[in-house]
Amino acid sequence: MNSSPKSLKQDLFDGVDFLDIDDLLTEEHKLIRASIRDFVKKEISPYIEDWAQRAYFPSDIVKKFGEVGAFGPQIPEAYGGGGLDYIAYGLIMQEIERGDSGMRSTASVQGSLVMYPIYKFGSEEQRMKYLPKLASGEMLGCFGLTEPDHGSNPSGMVTNFKDMGDHYLLNGAKMWISNSPQADIAVVWAKNEEGRIHGLIVERGMEGFTTPETHNKWSLRASCTGELVFDNVKVPKENLLPGKSGLGAPLMCLDSARFGIAWGAIGAAMDCYESARKYALERIQFGKPIASFQLVQKKLAEMLTEITKAQLLAWKVGKMLNEGKAKTVHISMAKRNNVEMALNIAREARQIHGGMGITGEYPIMRHMMNLESVITYEGTHDIHLLILGNEITGIQAFK
Ligand code: TGC
Ligand code: FAD
């Protein structure tokens, strides 16, 4: 059932670009951004508060994302992707997350964590079988790396598969998996009998495979999250991703998704900033708009400064990715900085809105709660700090 919100709010967002960063974008980038911005205004903004309040995932958004080109924009057109560069991909994630981080999760998992590994490590048969359907939204996928006892430390995973001659037998469980309750396929990372990590494509309907939903989240309420449980699941041998094994394979996918999050977080921050700016100009206290008070101006000035710095960081890492020069550490810096920036802006914007800031009349509290997940998933804030610390010192401080 789709939603029927009591009142549809008009979304008048027109971007935040203090330093003329548009100058760094091509005409194609700007056209793509405009088309996704329009899509978000029509298909997400009017409904999102209602979906989030009801913890409702609108499954019909999957097809719509496919139609607008939000799935796998960086995957070659031959496989149904957009054939676009990384900056275009980032702009798409930014616009969707301006609408809602949970909606961006759906798109970034599909593009970076499901389509990307199938494209990068899959056989030609696997690519042709799955990628066009994933790109069009005919199929939804999810990515299973995290386990109940192995979150930041995925190399300790216990999910495993045995070679049974004509098939693999998969056992174990994954936790905190975005899209899992609705997904048609899961890209699952599991160890073989030698303890080497491989990717397997597990399809809904395989006997022994279930996807229980995780309820009662206060964050990403419009995104569905669940487990992946494998109880002696027979996986056909042709479903193993042949191109790469080891932890480096899922970590390569995470690089792509983390980059998208670095841009997405800017979208959430822009939405909070714009809402706070407008509210500050309209809200009268002590006979004046609260925007006339220095403390409120300080908050707004700092928000704009931080958004601008984050835009430059995301753009530069995108350029480096396009040129094949970006390393994991660059992406870690951008993800870590930009998500913290967005969360701080959401908290400051909440203060500017006073009591109204906790209601669904404004997007602030929803963004803030969403960002509490974003700062944890795809590598926690502290894990990214340690990745940077390792780069700076040459000393690994994880273990
Ligand atoms: P470590 O020994 O450092 O590395 C193991 C092997 O991997 C290689 N490697 C990479 N390869 C490609 N890309 C990268 N980014 C790589 N990073 C490392 C490395 O060279 C090594 O290769 P080899 O050949 O020597 O074996 O691994 P470690 O076990 O010490 O762990 C390092 C650590 C902690 C940084 C890593 O495991 C990590 O990033 N942990 C965080 C886990 C994480 O991010 N999980 C995310 C789950 S998915 C998710 O959250 C989706 S949310 C989606 C949404 O809704 O948007
Ligand atoms: P833990 O690893 O237990 O960490 C707990 C705390 O300890 C953190 O503060 C962490 O920084 C700290 N810590 C851990 N190790 C160290 C260390 N060595 N040094 C210092 N501090 C440390 N996973 C998927 O595979 N697929 C998905 O689609 C997916 N979607 C998600 C959706 C949501 C809404 C959420 C909340 C999570 C999702 N995840 C997904 C899982 C996510 O990636 C993990 O939650 C994350 O990697 C952290 O793991 P953890 O929750 O087990 O925390």
Side-chain angles (χ1 to χ4, degrees):
M1 185 193 78
N2 209 332
S3 60
S4 52
K6 287 188 203 87
S7 62
L8 296 184
K9 276 185 233 147
Q10 211 188 349
D11 179 353
L12 301 172
F13 181 74
D14 192 29
V16 176
D17 187 8
F18 180 70
L19 219 54
D20 194 16
I21 289 164
D22 268 13
D23 202 31
L24 301 171
L25 305 178
T26 63
E27 285 311 308
E28 187 186 36
H29 289 147
K30 290 182 220 170
L31 281 171
I32 290 162
R33 183 182 60 190
S35 92
I36 303 293
R37 189 170 291 171
D38 279 353
F39 173 84
V40 168
K41 286 181 180 184
K42 284 194 201 97
E43 302 290 349
I44 296 179
S45 303
Y47 311 105
I48 188 63
E49 286 301 334
D50 180 62
W51 294 338
Q53 293 277 356
R54 292 195 287 127
Y56 170 75
F57 174 71
S59 44
D60 59 345
I61 200 80
V62 175
K63 264 268 163 79
K64 292 177 183 174
F65 271 144
E67 283 161 16
V68 79
F71 289 153
Q74 79 289 26
I75 302 291
E77 287 171 285
Y79 300 107
L84 300 172
D85 71 3
Y86 274 95
I87 291 177
Y89 172 60
L91 287 165
I92 293 171
M93 296 302 119
Q94 171 188 289
E95 293 304 314
I96 297 175
E97 192 149 358
R98 214 247 334 145
D100 187 72
S101 305
M103 291 290 108
R104 195 270 307 134
S105 264
T106 300
S108 59
V109 166
Q110 181 94 335
S112 284
L113 299 182
V114 180
M115 294 176 69
Y116 177 87
I118 294 174
Y119 167 64
K120 207 76 187 166
F121 316 131
S123 64
E124 196 53 27
E125 291 72 31
Q126 290 168 341
R127 290 170 167 183
M128 293 315 293
K129 179 174 177 191
Y130 297 107
L131 292 178
K133 288 184 180 167
L134 290 162
S136 68
E138 196 180 323
M139 248 184 193
L140 182 68
C142 66
F143 175 89
L145 181 66
T146 306
E147 299 189 351
D149 294 328
H150 301 94
S152 296
N153 176 27
S155 71
M157 71 173 65
V158 292
T159 298
N160 65 87
F161 63 97
K162 289 197 172 90
D163 189 337
M164 307 302 282
D166 61 345
H167 64 270
Y168 298 120
L169 200 63
L170 179 66
N171 278 289
K174 301 287 176 181
M175 190 179 180
W176 291 119
I177 307 304
S178 299
N179 299 351
S180 95
Q182 301 267 342
D184 301 292
I185 62 166
V187 171
V188 177
W189 301 94
K191 284 180 178 166
N192 68 8
E193 284 147 289
E194 287 78 50
R196 184 86 182 153
I197 294 171
H198 288 265
L200 297 154
I201 302 168
V202 180
E203 297 188 14
R204 184 171 296 283
M206 287 181 177
E207 208 179 322
F209 174 42
T210 50
T211 59
E213 184 161 359
T214 302
H215 295 288
N216 297 329
K217 290 178 299 167
W218 284 119
S219 177
L220 296 181
R221 289 173 60 79
S223 152
C224 57
T225 313
E227 297 166 47
L228 301 172
V229 181
F230 314 105
D231 180 9
N232 286 319
V233 181
K234 284 184 183 176
V235 180
K237 286 204 151 170
E238 63 266 23
N239 283 27
L240 183 111
L241 297 176
K244 186 167 169 71
S245 63
L247 188 62
L251 289 177
M252 273 174 72
C253 309
L254 290 177
D255 278 351
S256 171
R258 290 165 176 174
F259 168 74
I261 291 174
W263 281 84
I266 298 171
M270 284 173 168
D271 207 38
C272 293
Y273 165 75
E274 267 303 299
S275 182
R277 189 182 65 78
K278 286 194 187 115
Y279 189 85
L281 288 166
E282 285 163 9
R283 175 70 176 164
I284 309 291
Q285 287 294 286
F286 299 97
K288 294 179 187 170
I290 59 171
S292 61
F293 301 124
Q294 289 181 359
L295 290 176
V296 174
Q297 290 193 4
K298 176 176 187 285
K299 286 184 171 58
L300 292 170
E302 288 178 352
M303 285 181 197
L304 183 58
T305 308
E306 291 307 316
I307 287 171
T308 304
K309 285 153 65 178
Q311 286 171 319
L312 288 170
L313 181 55
W315 177 84
K316 178 66 170 128
V317 175
K319 183 165 181 289
M320 290 171 77
L321 272 169
N322 287 344
E323 293 163 350
K325 291 183 192 161
K327 295 196 279 181
T328 295
V329 283
H330 300 125
I331 294 166
S332 281
M333 179 185 278
K335 191 265 182 184
R336 181 175 185 275
N337 180 80
N338 290 9
V339 177
E340 183 181 45
M341 172 282 298
L343 193 46
N344 288 340
I345 285 179
R347 287 174 181 151
E348 293 289 74
R350 218 288 304 145
Q351 301 236 36
I352 289 178
H353 287 76
M356 289 309 291
I358 71 156
T359 72
E361 288 299 306
Y362 297 91
I364 314 300
M365 197 74 177
R366 177 172 49 79
H367 281 307
M368 191 199 296
M369 294 194 302
N370 283 343
L371 289 162
E372 289 290 349
S373 285
V374 181
I375 204 163
T376 285
Y377 67 33
E378 304 261 8
T380 69
H381 196 58
D382 286 345
I383 288 296
H384 288 294
L385 178 138
L386 295 176
I387 290 172
L388 285 162
N390 186 21
E391 174 75 8
I392 295 163
T393 64
I395 303 167
Q396 230 246 33
F398 303 115
K399 307 169 193 173

